Amino acid sequence: GDHSCTFTYSAQGGTNEQWQMNVGISEDDGLFSCSIWRPQGKSYLFFTQFKAEVKGAKIEHAMAYSQAAVGAQNDIPLKQEEFEITETTGLEGKFRFELSKLTIVAKTPRDEL
């Protein structure tokens, strides 16, 4: 539809890593979500930069993680100084090169009657 999620990055290492991306929209079209993660939990990629952006929606919540939940382990968030969140850009990395998951929830514009 009118919404999109883009993930751009540069990285080294992590031979043959499998990553997944899910996008979704709520039944009332009010919220748009985007998640990118490594299902195996921890990535061995050495990220030099990353950026996640959404179009057609305003960011309400976003988070980046150094490790994704797997088995009995929980998601481990990056430190606040390691990434920046803006309404337009989404997430942008300024960090120690660890990234295994990121999530964005954005509010879609509503047409007033």
Side-chain angles (χ1 to χ4, degrees), residues 19-41:
W19 283 70
Q20 291 184 357
M21 178 183 216
N22 280 4
V23 292
I25 193 152
S26 62
E27 282 187 31
D28 67 355
D29 290 340
L31 293 174
F32 174 72
S33 65
C34 176
S35 298
I36 299 138
W37 77 99
R38 183 162 194 256
Q40 290 78 13

